[in-house]
Amino acid sequence: MKIAVIGTGQVGSVLGTRWAHNGHQIVFGSRTPTSQRVLGLVEKAGPNATATSPAQAVMDAEIVVLAIKYAAVETVIKQLGDLSGKIIIDPNNPLNGDVSGLTLGTTTSAGEEIARLIPQAPVVKAFNMTGAIGNMANPIYGDQRLSMLICGDDEQAKAVVAGLVTELGFEVVDCGPMTSARYLEPMAMLWITLAGKMGLGGNIGFRLLTR
Ligand SMILES: NC(=O)c1ccc[n+]([C@@H]2O[C@H](COP(=O)([O-])OP(=O)(O)OC[C@H]3O[C@@H](n4cnc5c(N)ncnc54)[C@H](OP(=O)(O)O)[C@@H]3O)[C@@H](O)[C@H]2O)c1
């Protein structure tokens, strides 16, 4: 698929590189597409990856990943132009400045606010509730795989995103409509608390057990 990954931080780098290695066409959308850092990322991602401005990156994309700080999402979305016909992946968490909590919750979520900002395209929440460096890079724990809880209001878009999540090694759990982002975003805060404050580190993750 043609995937625009907007943002070349932790989430964008890992997802773009892994999908490029899987054969997808990746265009990183960056504020500094010709910087040594971004050129190094493109080289690591290999021949299926390029980098350009965010507005250029989305032009031919079927999928757009908004791997940006939530505080900057609205500004960046305005720069992207018309996103109709594309599927938007939202991995964002509305973290406060010192990452001690969320700035939104219980009655709305970053996912719902982003969906409101892009009424012309389906938005799917995915990748928000686990760490990028350890778990998005490798969600396999022995003979188990981590769950990736996703949600969104468009079933077809969610099915496409579920495929992209599954191919990275996660087991997808569909949590229903975008209002479930109200529960997925606090899960990210719990993961951050366990990994950081509670000292468990980044090699921890959630899995839904069933019987
Ligand atoms: N890190 C994780 O483990 C993790 C896990 C799950 C979810 N998330 C969420 O996913 C989102 C991305 O997280 P991240 O860790 O990848 O963030 P990050 O490392 O800080 O990277 C964010 C990227 O957004 C781009 N950007 C564009 N406009 C920006 C602006 N005005 N200010 C700052 N950055 C701007 C930058 O890419 P360019 O410089 O190339 O433009 C930057 O590298 C966040 O909402 C985060 O809460 C993170």
Side-chain angles (χ1 to χ4, degrees):
M1 302 196 79
K2 292 181 183 171
I3 306 174
V5 177
I6 310 303
T8 57
Q10 294 189 355
V11 172
S13 303
V14 171
L15 294 180
T17 301
R18 292 206 60 207
W19 281 323
H21 290 169
N22 282 1
H24 297 287
Q25 295 298 312
I26 302 300
V27 185
F28 290 105
S30 172
R31 295 168 298 176
T32 58
T34 56
S35 65
Q36 282 307 313
R37 184 184 63 78
V38 175
L39 292 176
L41 168 63
V42 169
E43 190 180 346
K44 193 173 154 217
N48 292 328
T50 56
T52 184
S53 68
Q56 287 284 334
V58 299
M59 272 185 180
D60 290 329
E62 299 162 282
I63 309 284
V64 176
V65 186
L66 298 173
I68 312 158
K69 295 277 180 218
Y70 179 64
V73 160
E74 184 167 359
T75 308
V76 174
I77 286 172
K78 284 184 182 147
Q79 295 163 4
L80 297 182
D82 186 8
L83 293 170
S84 23
K86 306 173 193 302
I87 294 171
I88 315 300
I89 299 181
D90 160 35
N92 294 285
N93 290 305
L95 299 174
N96 64 12
D98 63 4
V99 195
S100 63
L102 302 173
T103 60
L104 286 178
T106 69
T107 55
T108 188
S109 59
E112 288 163 273
E113 296 304 317
I114 289 171
R116 267 192 271 282
L117 290 170
I118 317 175
Q120 71 277 25
V123 179
V124 179
K125 185 110 209 155
F127 297 113
N128 81 292
M129 40 67 70
T130 202
I133 303 293
N135 291 339
M136 291 182 211
N138 178 13
I140 309 295
Y141 280 66
D143 60 359
Q144 307 218 71
R145 52 190 57 220
L146 294 179
S147 298
M148 179 56 72
L149 278 58
I150 72 170
C151 65
D153 295 330
D154 185 302
E155 297 304 323
Q156 279 181 324
K158 215 159 36 174
V160 173
V161 174
L164 287 168
V165 174
T166 303
E167 73 171 66
L168 297 182
F170 289 96
E171 185 173 86
V172 172
V173 179
D174 182 352
C175 299
M178 188 52 100
T179 48
S180 293
R182 296 174 195 184
Y183 318 122
L184 297 191
E185 291 165 12
M187 271 188 89
M189 202 60 237
L190 177 61
W191 187 92
I192 290 167
T193 301
L194 292 171
K197 203 184 284 182
M198 301 310 295
L200 298 183
N203 282 310
I204 58 165
F206 298 118
R207 178 175 166 77
L208 187 74
L209 299 180
T210 54
R211 65 180 177 192

